[in-house]
């Protein structure tokens, strides 16, 4: 049995990218492994330092975890800030993380570009906080999308460095994980590479979106005037639509539109109508569950509290040993 850790930031509702990159794996892994799935509310402050409704956002993600099928009796579901041991491990790891390696991190460079008015130290040390999340449970496997690959590499660097510096064999080497073996990147609807919360309006399809909203977003997805020759390679925006269809539609549907494309008969309006319909059908059960759970305050707080207790137990054990290893001892 492996120890599994992963988290999602509460900066918006869950979208299809989160699901296919991460959550889908969480759901299957909970049956076989010792799983810790959390809501990364500390991390969200690096981009949203004054969140309007932090608590509401955290509750929404917790509800969406449950609606998607995470079972609090199988996996430990918790809120990052409910386990402040994470912050102490982050502090220790920061002492052995070098400015140069943090500055070279791709996500840091992206964020500098996206928010030049707020290049804070939390952004720079985002990977050490993430390493703390993972190492605090001494995890082996981390189900994430492709965008997190480099962060996992850095987690291994920090864990190995700790082992070397203090001459211990304490932290295992956590591996990024996806069932298909390859980490995935789900594209967005606006022609850009990735479905994401910060990639612009209409780019992401959320589980909580009403059918009409999904239909509108999909119908607006970027396309072009269509292929002019048979079997032409697909431009990125078109490739994206096909990739989205691959994850929510049946293989027959996909084959049908592939053929239409290859014979230059494709009508993107028809394809998008079908894609919207399949996305609506795919998200339907989640939407219903989200609505039902959101009103059950008592259950939600019970889940949060139980998760906090279990996560605290594991985290405090690791931290006790880390303090001991570094040399913090009582007189
Ligand atoms: P976040 O909140 O951006 O995304 C949560 C998870 O969803 C995946 N994901 C995607 N996968 C495929 N295609 C996409 N378009 C797509 N968009 C998002 C992400 O890869 C991620 O797995 N730093 C993390 C949160 C985090 C974490 C951790 C994860 C904090 N500590 C420790 C694992 C372990 C993040 O920002 O994810």
């Amino acid at each position: 049995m492996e120890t599994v850790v992963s988290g999602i930031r509460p900066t918006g509702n869950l979208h299809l990218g989160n699901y296919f990159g991460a959550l889908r794996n969480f759901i299957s892994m909970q049956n076989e492994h010792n799983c810790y799935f959390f809501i990364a509310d500390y991390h969200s402050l690096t981009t949203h330092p004054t969140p309007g409704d932090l608590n509401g956002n955290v509750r929404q993600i917790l509800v969406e975890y449950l609606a998607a099928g995470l079972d609090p009796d199988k996996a430990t579901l918790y809120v990052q800030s409910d386990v402040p041991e994470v912050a102490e491990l982050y502090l220790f790891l920061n002492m052995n993380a070098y400015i140069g390696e943090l500055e070279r991190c791709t996500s840091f460079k992206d964020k500098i570009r996206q928010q030049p008015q707020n290049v804070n130290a939390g952004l720079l040390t985002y990977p050490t906080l993430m390493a703390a999340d993972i190492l605090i449970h001494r995890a082996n496997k981390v189900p994430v999308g492709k965008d997190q690959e480099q962060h996992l590499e850095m987690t291994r660097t920090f864990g190995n460095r700790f082992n070397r510096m203090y001459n211990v064999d304490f932290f295992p080497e956590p591996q990024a994980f996806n069932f298909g073996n390859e980490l995935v990147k789900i594209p967005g609807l606006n022609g850009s590479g990735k479905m994401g919360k910060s990639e612009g309006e209409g780019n992401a399809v959320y589980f909580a979106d009403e059918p009409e909203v999904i239909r509108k977003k999909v119908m607006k997805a970027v396309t072009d005037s269509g292929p002019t020759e048979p079997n032409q390679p697909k431009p990125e925006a078109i490739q994206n639509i096909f990739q989205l269809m691959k994850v929510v539609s049946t293989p027959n549907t996909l084959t049908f539109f592939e053929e239409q494309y290859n014979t230059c008969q494709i009508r993107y309006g028809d394809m998008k109508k079908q894609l919207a319909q399949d996305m609506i059908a795919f998200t339907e059960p989640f939407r219903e569950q989200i609505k039902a759970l959101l009103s059950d305050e008592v259950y939600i707080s019970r889940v949060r509290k139980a998760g906090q207790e279990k996560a605290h137990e594991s985290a405090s054990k690791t931290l006790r040993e880390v303090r001991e290893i570094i040399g913090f001892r009582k007189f």
Side-chain angles (χ1 to χ4, degrees):
M1 190 154 81
E2 313 262 20
T3 300
V4 179
V5 171
S6 197
I8 297 183
R9 283 171 302 139
T11 51
N13 295 352
L14 290 191
H15 52 72
L16 290 173
N18 296 136
Y19 182 79
F20 288 105
L23 194 52
R24 183 175 52 160
N25 287 300
F26 298 3
I27 296 160
S28 3
M29 292 176 105
Q30 66 180 344
N31 295 315
E32 296 161 43
H33 301 293
N34 180 23
C35 293
Y36 297 88
F37 299 127
F38 65 97
I39 298 161
D41 56 349
Y42 285 153
H43 273 109
S44 69
L45 298 180
T46 60
T47 53
H48 299 69
T50 53
D53 181 13
L54 186 56
N55 204 37
N57 299 343
V58 168
R59 185 188 305 115
Q60 176 75 23
I61 301 288
L62 184 54
V63 161
E64 292 183 338
Y65 272 179
L66 295 166
L70 284 184
D71 180 346
D73 291 330
K74 293 180 180 163
T76 301
L77 309 181
Y78 68 101
V79 179
Q80 189 183 31
S81 64
D82 280 348
V83 184
E85 286 86 353
V86 169
E88 191 174 339
L89 183 57
Y90 165 61
L91 181 149
F92 292 145
L93 294 174
N94 270 330
M95 303 300 175
N96 306 332
Y98 303 115
I99 295 281
E101 63 191 341
L102 294 169
E103 278 175 343
R104 278 195 299 277
C105 181
T106 316
S107 64
F108 178 63
K109 291 187 200 156
D110 288 346
K111 283 290 180 298
I112 294 184
R113 235 174 290 126
Q114 285 164 5
Q115 51 179 71
Q117 78 296 352
N118 180 19
V119 182
N120 60 71
L123 275 183
L124 182 69
T125 57
Y126 190 107
T128 47
L129 180 53
M130 191 158 152
D133 292 326
I134 296 167
L135 298 175
I136 197 83
H137 302 298
R138 302 171 74 187
N140 319 93
K141 284 208 158 72
V142 188
V144 282
K146 187 142 184 62
D147 58 329
Q148 301 297 318
E149 207 167 24
Q150 193 181 26
H151 288 153
L152 260 291
E153 182 72 50
M154 294 175 83
T155 299
R156 286 191 288 275
T157 301
F158 299 145
N160 286 335
R161 186 175 295 155
F162 180 94
N163 288 348
R164 233 181 8 257
M165 287 177 72
Y166 302 104
N167 199 19
V168 286
D169 185 14
F170 186 66
F171 290 123
E173 275 201 336
Q175 304 296 331
F177 179 83
N178 182 282
F179 271 112
N181 284 332
E182 276 194 27
L183 302 184
V184 302
K185 182 170 88 171
I186 300 296
L189 289 169
N190 62 3
S192 79
K194 179 186 149 190
M195 182 174 287
K197 299 171 258 223
S198 44
E199 313 290 320
E201 194 60 25
N203 176 53
V205 172
Y206 298 98
F207 280 107
D209 280 348
E210 289 299 332
E212 220 17 68
V213 174
I214 297 183
R215 203 167 285 125
K216 279 207 183 106
K217 283 183 184 173
V218 175
M219 293 316 286
K220 277 199 202 146
V222 175
T223 50
D224 57 20
S225 53
T228 49
E229 283 170 42
N231 303 316
Q232 220 171 286
K234 300 185 186 86
E236 192 188 359
I238 305 302
Q239 182 62 41
N240 290 353
I241 310 273
F242 273 93
Q243 215 184 319
L244 287 167
M245 191 165 241
K246 193 170 173 193
V247 293
V248 294
S249 305
T250 64
N252 281 348
T253 306
L254 185 67
T255 311
F256 173 79
F257 286 103
E258 290 277 5
E259 274 168 21
Q260 295 269 302
Y261 181 88
N262 287 332
T263 52
C264 303
Q265 296 176 73
I266 192 142
R267 288 159 51 157
Y268 290 129
D270 291 348
M271 183 176 181
K272 290 198 274 190
K273 242 186 240 159
Q274 180 70 47
L275 179 62
Q277 194 178 314
D278 292 341
M279 279 185 174
I280 291 165
F282 182 81
T283 50
E284 182 76 49
F286 299 98
R287 214 164 16 250
E288 295 305 312
Q289 274 296 315
I290 291 169
K291 282 186 197 147
L293 282 163
L294 265 178
S295 55
D296 200 344
E297 295 278 344
V298 176
Y299 176 63
I300 299 301
S301 4
R302 196 149 27 94
V303 169
R304 178 172 179 170
K305 191 152 184 297
Q308 173 178 13
E309 278 166 18
K310 284 197 271 175
H312 167 75
E313 199 182 307
S314 152
S316 57
K317 181 169 182 296
T318 304
L319 199 62
R320 238 190 341 267
E321 296 184 49
V322 165
R323 284 171 146 262
E324 181 81 12
I325 289 169
I326 298 177
F328 293 98
R329 294 193 193 102
K330 295 267 183 281
F331 291 122

